[in-house]
Amino acid sequence: MAKTVIVVVDGFGIGAMPDAGTLRPGDLTADTCGHVLDHCREAFGRPLRLPVLSSLGLGLVHPHPDLARRTHLPVAAGRAALGYPGADTFAGHQTMMGADFSRVTVARLGDHLDEVTTALEAAGHRVAPLDGRPLLVVDDAVLVHDNLEADPGINWNASGRLEDLPFDGPGGILAIARTVRAVAPVARVIAVGGHADGPLTQFVRLGDAGTVGLDTPASGFYRNGGLAVQHLGAGIDHTRQLPDLAARAGIPVTLVGKAADILACDAAERHPAVQTADVIAHTLEAVRAPGDALVVANVQETDLAGHQQDAERYGRLLEQVDAGLAALLALLDAPGDRLIVTADHGNDPTIGHAYHTREYVPVLIHRPGADRVELLPDAGSLADVGATAAVSLALDPAGLANGTTLRPGRHAA
């Protein structure tokens, strides 16, 4: 019997990828891990207490004075490029679980108005631009627009007031979003229904890089209750992702935190949670259950701290995560067990904006029974993390749509 646990510390990057400055040149200096460590040492008058992350090899892949450069734990440590365009939680998790996002692009809605309009009209909808701007009003009720809460061009939204039309059903917000999804080249089309403080057209604003969309927080959708949301990802064969592959092999699958919201697997046990303490508690509960297991847990609050540009909160959350990892290590001590700590993108809370940052992420693997510390070659994609986890579960990684098993390249000094 063996358990594999993947803990995704959302937004925990370890340094800018070479193309990180394509959208914002300043992002070439992004380093979520290093900048949080530096800021918190100054703010707290002490280094962050991250003994477990250090012992898992974080200091081997991200050298820093506050991280140990040696460890006696049987770990393999490396870093991964993202393997998908931009820096996005949904795309990151789907890629990590084995999806191929090579055909997904970063695109503004304004560059695809003709094909979106054609698709909507073919489905029987009335479509018009709003005052000549690059967003669409559908059936006088739903706005199809760039998502202004993610990096420009990552996601599009279809947003409507529930007073005007239903979320589900023929002609509803979700049906409109599905029509858009069929022709959209981006990672996500998000259907959003809620109760706004007025007509949605009052809350349209310019975003970065020529995008235009609904200012969803300003609209009142998040304040007024009754919010309905569904994420429509790019075409993914979920049967060729790690959770479904494991479930078909009879391995119980548990999805915790945001992973429970965005990963597909009909057989999975789901524990949605935002609070880090709840994510850790659900993860520990799943690990304590007898028998084999695949557990994928997302720690979302670190990402929220990055969006809030709050490096001190980010640091305190890392210490909380570190304590949770200590409890997991105590349970995952059988030779076949694996604890994999990684991330989905960066979110540097010192960078000066509230968007994700395109960074390498750590890949820290605890391997009970191994006799040495080993360094992994750089992974070309987060999909390599999923392929490596598949092998730890005695599954054939060829069953995934994407990913190559990570094999140690050399021994650590």
Side-chain angles (χ1 to χ4, degrees):
M1 292 186 294
K3 302 178 190 295
T4 292
V5 179
I6 303 174
V7 175
V8 182
V9 184
D10 205 311
F12 189 48
I14 57 172
M17 289 177 56
D19 60 354
T22 301
L23 180 61
R24 291 178 295 271
D27 281 11
L28 280 172
T29 66
D31 179 0
T32 301
C33 177
H35 291 159
V36 169
L37 289 169
D38 292 341
H39 180 94
C40 289
R41 173 181 272 274
E42 182 174 350
F44 300 162
R46 60 167 178 83
L48 284 180
R49 300 185 179 100
L50 305 176
V52 179
L53 283 167
S54 285
S55 66
L56 288 172
L58 182 59
L60 298 177
V61 298
H62 187 288
H64 189 278
D66 294 345
L67 297 172
R69 293 298 302 274
R70 293 179 180 273
T71 177
H72 298 295
L73 287 183
V75 300
R79 66 176 188 171
L82 301 185
Y84 64 89
D88 178 64
T89 295
F90 179 86
H93 282 71
Q94 303 301 334
T95 300
M96 190 184 302
M97 294 298 107
D100 182 0
F101 265 52
S102 61
R103 293 185 299 276
V104 173
T105 62
V106 175
R108 297 174 301 180
L109 175 64
D111 296 330
H112 295 269
L113 287 178
D114 288 346
E115 53 262 56
V116 174
T117 298
T118 298
L120 287 166
E121 289 179 342
H125 298 287
R126 302 184 309 278
V127 185
L130 177 65
D131 301 329
R133 289 178 283 183
L135 76 164
L136 301 173
V137 182
V138 182
D139 297 337
D140 300 318
V142 173
L143 293 182
V144 176
H145 59 93
D146 293 306
N147 180 304
L148 302 185
E149 295 175 78
D151 261 337
I154 295 289
N155 306 317
W156 299 348
N157 282 23
S159 304
R161 300 194 312 170
L162 297 175
E163 295 89 344
D164 298 330
L165 77 174
F167 186 75
D168 293 305
I173 299 165
L174 182 57
I176 291 169
R178 285 176 171 150
T179 300
V180 176
R181 171 71 276 173
V183 296
V186 296
R188 268 187 293 179
V189 173
I190 308 174
V192 184
H195 302 288
D197 295 334
L200 295 186
T201 54
Q202 293 181 0
F203 305 102
V204 170
R205 66 169 175 84
L206 294 175
D208 291 342
T211 56
V212 181
L214 176 70
D215 187 336
T216 306
S219 74
F221 271 11
Y222 297 152
R223 297 191 306 270
N224 295 332
L227 187 69
V229 178
Q230 187 160 334
H231 298 262
L232 305 177
I236 297 170
D237 182 354
H238 296 295
T239 68
R240 300 193 66 193
Q241 288 188 287
L242 182 61
D244 209 84
L245 188 67
R248 292 199 310 274
I251 299 170
V253 177
T254 303
L255 306 175
V256 181
K258 198 168 184 179
D261 297 326
I262 60 179
L263 293 179
C265 179
D266 291 341
E269 183 173 339
R270 297 176 184 273
H271 296 284
V274 175
Q275 297 296 316
T276 301
D278 294 337
V279 171
I280 292 170
H282 288 309
T283 304
L284 289 170
E285 180 184 9
V287 172
R288 290 189 183 107
D292 298 337
L294 169 65
V295 182
V296 183
N298 172 280
V299 178
Q300 185 180 359
E301 284 192 294
T302 44
D303 188 53
L304 299 178
H307 286 306
Q308 294 160 349
Q309 293 288 277
D310 189 340
E312 292 170 35
R313 182 187 179 206
Y314 202 121
R316 287 190 291 269
L317 287 164
L318 283 180
E319 292 186 329
Q320 187 178 4
V321 170
D322 198 270
L325 293 175
L328 281 171
L329 282 181
L331 295 173
L332 296 167
D333 57 0
D337 290 341
R338 294 290 183 270
L339 171 63
I340 303 174
V341 180
T342 187
D344 48 355
H345 50 72
N347 198 340
D348 189 333
T350 72
I351 202 69
H353 61 71
Y355 294 120
H356 294 156
T357 42
R358 187 166 167 80
E359 300 180 52
Y360 292 103
V361 299
V363 182
L364 312 175
I365 307 175
H366 181 244
R367 309 166 303 159
D371 60 358
R372 63 187 68 186
V373 176
E374 295 179 302
L375 299 179
L376 299 169
D378 282 354
S381 169
L382 283 170
D384 297 350
V385 175
T388 303
V391 171
S392 74
L393 291 164
L395 301 172
D396 184 356
L400 304 175
N402 194 20
T404 301
T405 305
L406 291 170
R407 303 189 185 281
R410 58 191 173 92
H411 307 317

